[in-house]
Amino acid sequence: MLQVVQAFDRAPITEIATDDAVALEAKLQAAERVFRNRDGWLKPHERMAILRRLAGLIAGKRDHLALQIAREGGKPLPDAIVEVTRAIDGVHNAADELRNFAGREIPMGLSPAAADRWAFTTKEPIGIVAAISAFNHPLNLIVHQVAPAIATGCPVIIKPAGTTPLSCLDFVALVHEAGLPEAWCQSFVPETTELAEKLATDPRIAFLSFIGSAKVGWYLHSKLAHGARSALEHGGVAPAIVDKSANLEAIIEPIVKGGYYHAGQVCVSTQRIYVHDSIVNDFTERLVARVKTLRTGDSVLKDTEVGPLITPKEADRVASWIDEAVKGGAKLLTGGRRLSETTLEPTVLVDPSEEARISREEIFGPAVAIYRYRDLDDAIARANSLRVAFQASIFAQDIDIALRAANRLDASAVMINDPTTFRTDWMPFAGRRESGYATGGIPFTMRDMTQEKMILMRRS
């Protein structure tokens, strides 16, 4: 049995049964059986109808799902409500994408050998999808992994994070209620991590969707069966550059949201802030003043802005990184104090050493670091200096500065006057280098979960 607890106070919520090796084999066999039966594949209009019904069912449980996200995942309730709304829209997005999900004509007749022929491609589901998810968006990440599989006609086995399985289990139940036969979408809560690896690397798996730590993701990627595809979504140490032309009145709030949303437990959370020397003192004063007003506490309360870390162990780790930075010469301007077993005061550090972990690694906690710069290209070089690269921001009113930074920052997406955390569910979302592999976002995942087949006809 797996005990699920509230992230904030560790109070028990419930216990759920776990799956053993026998259960995993049964799930894989069921998925393989329905996929091999081509006559049983659901038509696109049937899959669209299921997704539409699913979106309605999620909407009907909006309050329940939002409270559950706040309890098991520690996301503040207002943000959890937004997550459910995004999940509903994401399901609709997958259904909408099917309207334009098509193959293409392959030109023939371009040589004598290709004369009197007609060729076109169709899209087919790639096969069984193994999806391994993360805790920080326990419903919406599941939607990003499962809705594309339903839309494209791939059987999917979804493993939620061990700390936040309830949102996934509720979602899968709603999928079945919407009319999708159970074998096409199955949850998997393994009793050991070895079984999760066994799922991902089973030769029957055609596609692995993994959201989580780079160490685990790249390891699983190396063990995939030959021919299997994967999409990996890891973390970054997201940089934001603040130019001297930036409107300080307008940018503090988005930067605070970028740094402290979900207590910094977001793969594109703003962590390194490079501020022009001429405005660094004014910027820092304004940022610290706002951070000091952030309401930190129980995630189920409507006025909470910063909730807990997912476990006490994670709170210990983040606190140790802050202490390390201060001992290494960083100035602690606010925060750093432990408020409870799982909560930390939102923290602002100034000028930590380049060797400090907060300067090099993803802290995944409520802390940002400010660094001063004089030359824009130097700030860009420092922002680009790590082996991780995901999303980045430039805050500037000078369009030439903004575009120069956007063109030179090593990131899959650069936000101009918006935080590094900005995302819509239909846009491409991808880590570079060690931060990930392939492209997320519902339309892009649907493409990865299909393969093209060319059909050629010879005219008599």
Side-chain angles (χ1 to χ4, degrees):
M1 300 294 287
L2 174 67
Q3 186 175 68
V4 185
V5 302
Q6 294 190 153
F8 175 68
D9 58 10
R10 316 301 292 166
I13 300 175
T14 189
E15 285 190 340
I16 60 173
T18 53
D19 295 307
D20 59 15
V22 174
L24 173 59
E25 179 60 26
K27 291 173 189 287
L28 285 165
Q29 286 184 13
E32 183 180 36
R33 188 162 50 249
V34 293
F35 187 69
R36 287 189 177 277
N37 177 23
R38 289 200 171 217
D39 290 336
W41 286 7
L42 296 173
K43 303 293 190 295
H45 71 87
E46 294 174 309
R47 287 179 256 135
M48 288 177 71
I50 288 168
L51 289 166
R52 299 291 189 210
R53 288 194 293 270
L54 174 60
L57 291 170
I58 297 171
K61 298 194 71 173
R62 188 192 306 264
D63 292 343
H64 162 78
L65 291 167
L67 184 59
Q68 187 157 267
I69 290 167
R71 293 183 70 197
E72 67 174 348
K75 180 175 289 185
L77 186 58
D79 294 325
I81 293 170
V82 172
E83 179 174 341
V84 180
T85 301
R86 284 181 60 188
I88 295 165
D89 186 60
V91 173
H92 280 302
N93 187 191
D96 292 341
E97 189 67 17
L98 282 173
R99 293 189 178 278
N100 299 298
F101 206 64
R104 58 197 173 96
E105 183 177 355
I106 305 298
M108 289 288 123
L110 303 181
S111 69
D116 298 322
R117 288 167 175 83
W118 177 46
F120 59 92
T121 66
T122 61
K123 288 184 180 291
E124 292 187 337
I126 192 172
I128 303 172
V129 172
I132 298 178
S133 205
F135 76 86
N136 53 341
H137 307 286
L139 178 63
N140 204 40
L141 292 181
I142 301 293
V143 167
H144 273 253
Q145 294 170 294
V146 173
I150 296 172
T152 56
C154 291
V156 57
I157 302 172
I158 174 76
K159 178 211 165 298
T163 48
T164 55
L166 301 181
S167 295
C168 174
L169 296 179
D170 276 357
F171 176 78
V172 172
L174 293 177
V175 168
H176 299 156
E177 186 179 341
L180 188 72
E182 183 175 346
W184 287 95
C185 179
Q186 302 174 85
S187 60
F188 178 55
V189 182
E191 60 185 13
T192 66
T193 55
E194 289 76 17
L195 283 177
E197 178 180 342
K198 190 173 181 180
L199 165 66
T201 59
D202 188 279
R204 289 164 287 191
I205 296 299
F207 185 87
L208 169 66
S209 171
F210 178 88
I211 304 173
S213 78
K215 179 180 179 181
V216 175
W218 286 112
Y219 170 78
L220 292 177
H221 178 80
S222 73
K223 299 292 184 180
L224 293 180
H226 292 174
R229 294 183 193 169
S230 71
L232 311 177
E233 185 181 307
H234 305 318
V237 188
I241 295 174
V242 181
D243 179 60
K244 61 184 176 181
S245 69
N247 180 351
L248 295 187
E249 290 284 346
I251 71 171
I252 295 301
E253 203 60 36
I255 287 178
V256 168
K257 190 68 174 178
Y260 302 99
Y261 167 66
H262 199 5
Q265 297 170 114
V266 182
C267 59
V268 288
S269 182
T270 305
Q271 186 170 324
R272 296 175 293 153
I273 308 174
Y274 298 93
V275 186
H276 193 276
D277 190 67
S278 64
I279 62 166
V280 67
N281 292 335
D282 191 7
F283 170 85
T284 301
E285 182 179 331
R286 291 169 183 257
L287 180 70
V288 169
R290 175 65 180 101
V291 171
K292 284 182 175 179
T293 68
L294 288 172
R295 296 181 295 274
T296 303
D298 192 341
S299 48
V300 303
L301 301 179
K302 292 181 179 180
D303 63 348
T304 296
E305 294 175 285
V306 179
L309 279 297
I310 189 64
T311 62
K313 182 179 178 181
E314 282 299 292
D316 291 341
R317 180 189 59 76
V318 173
S320 73
W321 285 29
I322 294 169
D323 290 343
E324 176 206 60
V326 172
K327 290 176 182 176
K331 296 178 182 177
L332 177 64
L333 296 189
T334 189
R337 190 164 57 95
R338 193 73 167 261
L339 300 177
S340 74
E341 195 177 11
T342 55
T343 53
L344 292 168
E345 277 185 330
T347 300
V348 177
L349 297 163
V350 173
D351 291 327
S353 162
E354 295 294 338
E355 300 306 311
R357 279 179 289 187
I358 195 171
S359 300
R360 297 182 291 110
E361 302 174 37
E362 183 182 33
I363 193 168
F364 224 58
V368 303
I370 297 171
Y371 311 82
R372 63 183 67 221
Y373 76 90
R374 292 183 178 176
D375 178 72
L376 176 66
D377 287 346
D378 173 61
I380 293 170
R382 291 161 70 187
N384 291 345
S385 64
L386 304 181
R387 285 297 306 159
V388 291
F390 214 137
Q391 298 195 162
S393 291
I394 170 69
F395 292 90
Q397 294 293 97
D398 186 324
I399 188 65
D400 292 330
I401 293 289
L403 291 180
R404 182 177 182 85
N407 285 331
R408 286 163 173 75
L409 281 165
D410 185 6
S412 58
V414 178
M415 314 303 166
I416 298 176
N417 296 322
D418 251 329
T420 59
T421 49
F422 181 84
R423 182 185 185 183
T424 63
D425 298 301
W426 56 89
M427 71 187 234
F429 191 71
R432 290 184 174 181
R433 299 202 298 273
E434 292 180 9
S435 289
Y437 184 77
T439 302
I442 286 169
F444 304 91
T445 300
M446 286 175 63
R447 293 171 205 172
D448 281 347
M449 288 182 177
T450 56
Q451 50 195 350
E452 282 195 328
K453 173 186 283 183
M454 191 188 78
I455 298 172
L456 184 141
M457 298 175 64
R458 183 169 184 171
R459 299 168 181 167
S460 60

